[in-house]
Amino acid sequence: MSEQTDIRTSQPLGLAKRGYSGVIQHLAVADAASALAGHELESRLIELGFVEGARVEVLHEGIVGRDPIAVRVENVTIALRRREAMAIIVA
Amino acid sequence: MEAPLLHLALVGTPNSGKTSLFNALTGSRQKVANYPGVTVERKEGFFVTPAGRQVSVVDLPGTYSLRGRSPDEEITRDMVLGRTPGEVAPDLILCVADATNLRLTIRLLLELKNTGRPMMLVLNMFDIAARRGVDVDVPKLSEALGMPVVTSIAVRKGGIAELLRRTDEIAAREQIPVGPNRWQPLTVSQLRATQREADRIIASAVTLPAKPDTWTARIDAVVLHPVAGLFILALILFLMFQAVFAWAQPLMELLSSAFDALGQFVHETLPEGLLQSFLQNGVISGVGSVIVFLPQIIIIFLFILLLEDFGYMARAAFLMDRIMGGAGLHGRAFIPLLSSFACAIPGIMATRVIDNRRDRLTTILIAPLMTCSARIPVYTLIISAFIPDRDVWGWFNLRGLVLFGLYAAGITSALAVSFLVKFFMLRDYAPAPFMLELPDYKLPRLKSIAIGVYTRAKMFLQRAGTTIFSMMVLIWFLASFPTAPAGAEGPAINYSLAAIIGKALEPLLAPLGFNWQIAVALIPGMAAREVAVAALGTVYAIEGGKEAADQIGHVLATKWSLATALSLLVWYIFAPQCASTLAVIRRETGGWRWMAVTFFYMLALAYLASLATYNIAVALGAG
């Protein structure tokens, strides 16, 4: 771990509040309690542009339990549930 | 010798503008069918290039990869690879990209390149991209990707000229070079590598504006707002139903009087007898009373296509995801359910966007409870006959409110059924992930929408011309034969087959307040709900002569009590009165079991709800 990431601690995107912006560090599909198998979830996240180094920003939150969230990934907006967003580690 | 038909295939991610490009290329020369063995819609269109080459183009289902995780995506993969039985491998793949949003398409394109098929990248909506400050170095992009790249504006006249010219150039070659197929399902690390490669190519050839689309951000700030967003969603739905009632009325009256005039013409031209009765009462008044509802069907589809094209549908799914989740539904179920307002058949077919089988099954079970457009004729007829046309609270029309109430009852019961299914039938239910792209808002493309509405109106008319027409002939036959014996008392129809069947069913339906005429109309109503209106028209027209056919609403108002009318309205919310829907459910779920479940649960709901409605209404003095 470099000092850079220590200054801004990494966290799952699934816990981020509206207005949060950061950069994807890695995908940790084992941490997400998704209905999908790990490699399937990882494939889908990558196909929607969630890869290491991509800039993300939480734009909107749903009504019930602030879920799902709308996330800007580079220049695409993706809606997903917090449960799956737990697999995306950002800082 | 004439050059053989050139086969093109359109491939792209969802929201890439594939369909508007398809519409721009082919206009109304489209053929919609199914791929054999599966229920994926096959859209093929035809056009002729400026050089005179005949071209067939298929619009393949949108996908983010070739992994084929749903039946639609498998079709796209197999068509591209030339593996679909009975289909020709495309001579040229047109990979369609939204020029404002290249990232995910370029990754797909890099994967597609492994198939070795000849390809061309079409940067669609290039005008919007330019306006937003997206600067694409087309020659550089073409070089980096190793394939021709053209820009297009599907919505503008001449916007696809370059695409046509390049297609001609490629087609003019003796043989389009096909490379070896090196495609294999990608591993996670290969996927990651292709996305990195795509990002590298975009960084080298595309300059993106620093800020995202401000209009989308502004609209979303309101539309996705937790409170305002839901309010707007409700408002849009409400507006849709008021429009169906108010806007369609003048056109419907026009159509209705045209058919009346035609019937009158036949009546005066032909001698009295069977042929006159058949043409006037069976054909013209029967088919006419169904075609009258064309304006309403056009309005419903206009709304759905406009909202979809604008980019609102995905937002509606976002807003509804957790709310529907509470009832055991997936956010993606919202679009199929909303389509079911037009017709449950495309709605049930649209459930293919839900890849978890349980979520899909639940959605299919409740889709027929959404008020489809075929119920509108029945609702309209009864409402205008029994509900006074007056304003409530100065703003709303009472009839509009009743219609809104019927829709609301359908939605509420659908959510309740879904909740029960989740609770009792599919206990080991695990929620499937909700992941959806929210595309930037775009001004709806009017020509494309016009083509979409036209295609659907044509399908409705074809149905009216085939299924409904033959049912009308059957009904006329049942209501006319056997003829009354000489010297018999009362109307001739009392001696017909229809009366025999209706009277046999009457004891079963009497507790709901239904008379035998209603029972007669409900049987052909199984072919299509709207047929019931035509059937009532036929039954009462034959019984009461020409005046009755003109004013079926008035006739009903004198023959039925308010309690009977309300009971029939409620029956139509729930009853499984559509054989085609049941057939589609059987096909989509791959067996009779879920079709039978749907039929019997809906029948039970309808019977109980109508029974309750009738008895409460009678108790309140409306009997």
Side-chain angles (χ1 to χ4, degrees), chain B residues 168-190:
Chain B
D168 260 337
E169 269 176 35
I170 294 169
R173 292 179 204 158
E174 280 296 295
Q175 203 172 13
I176 307 171
V178 178
N181 174 19
R182 286 177 284 104
W183 181 84
Q184 282 182 329
L186 299 185
T187 63
V188 171
S189 64
Q190 284 170 324

Side-chain angles (χ1 to χ4, degrees), chain B residues 9-13 18 60 63-67 76-81 90 93-96 104-121 145 147 179-184 186 194:
Chain B
L10 295 181
V11 182
T13 60
K18 233 163 19 75
L60 295 177
T63 179
Y64 290 104
S65 81
L66 293 185
R67 280 191 301 130
T76 303
R77 180 194 65 203
D78 293 345
M79 285 289 283
V80 164
L81 295 172
I93 294 172
L94 297 183
C95 191
V96 187
L104 306 180
T105 311
I106 300 274
R107 201 215 61 75
L108 171 67
L109 187 117
L110 292 175
E111 187 178 350
L112 274 167
K113 261 179 83 173
N114 288 335
T115 64
R117 307 299 315 176
M119 288 174 66
M120 175 150 72
L121 173 62
L145 293 172
M147 68 181 67
N181 174 19
R182 286 177 284 104
W183 181 84
Q184 282 182 329
L186 299 185
T194 53

Side-chain angles (χ1 to χ4, degrees), chain B residues 469-499:
Chain B
F469 175 72
S470 41
M471 289 314 294
M472 290 335 295
V473 172
L474 180 65
I475 266 286
W476 171 82
F477 178 81
L478 288 176
S480 303
F481 295 96
T483 48
E489 295 197 2
I493 193 173
N494 286 358
Y495 301 91
S496 68
L497 285 168

Side-chain angles (χ1 to χ4, degrees), chain A residues 8-60:
Chain A
R8 212 180 154 184
T9 46
S10 60
Q11 61 159 334
L13 184 64
L15 297 179
K17 295 265 181 327
R18 195 164 94 89
Y20 173 90
S21 74
V23 174
I24 298 177
Q25 305 298 305
H26 62 276
L27 298 183
V29 284
D31 298 354
S34 172
L36 291 180
H39 71 276
E40 178 63 27
L41 176 61
E42 194 168 359
S43 301
R44 289 195 193 192
L45 288 173
I46 295 169
E47 281 165 17
L48 292 173
F50 291 100
V51 291
E52 288 76 1
R55 272 170 295 136
V56 291
E57 184 185 350
V58 180
L59 295 180
H60 303 281

Side-chain angles (χ1 to χ4, degrees), chain A residues 35-36 40-44 47-49 51-52 60 63 67-69 72 75-81 84, chain B residues 65 67 69 100-101 103-104 188 191-192 196 212 220 224 226 318 321-322 431 433-438:
Chain A
L36 291 180
E40 178 63 27
L41 176 61
E42 194 168 359
S43 301
R44 289 195 193 192
E47 281 165 17
L48 292 173
V51 291
E52 288 76 1
H60 303 281
I63 305 139
D67 198 25
I69 49 175
R72 191 85 181 163
N75 63 339
V76 184
T77 309
I78 304 288
L80 77 168
R81 285 191 191 156
E84 276 75 35
Chain B
S65 81
R67 280 191 301 130
R69 37 162 227 216
T100 63
N101 175 4
R103 202 166 171 247
L104 306 180
V188 171
L191 261 178
R192 205 177 248 116
R196 290 239 169 85
D220 273 346
L224 293 183
F318 178 84
D321 178 56
R322 279 300 293 264
F434 169 79
M435 288 187 202
L436 194 65
E437 195 181 332
L438 301 180

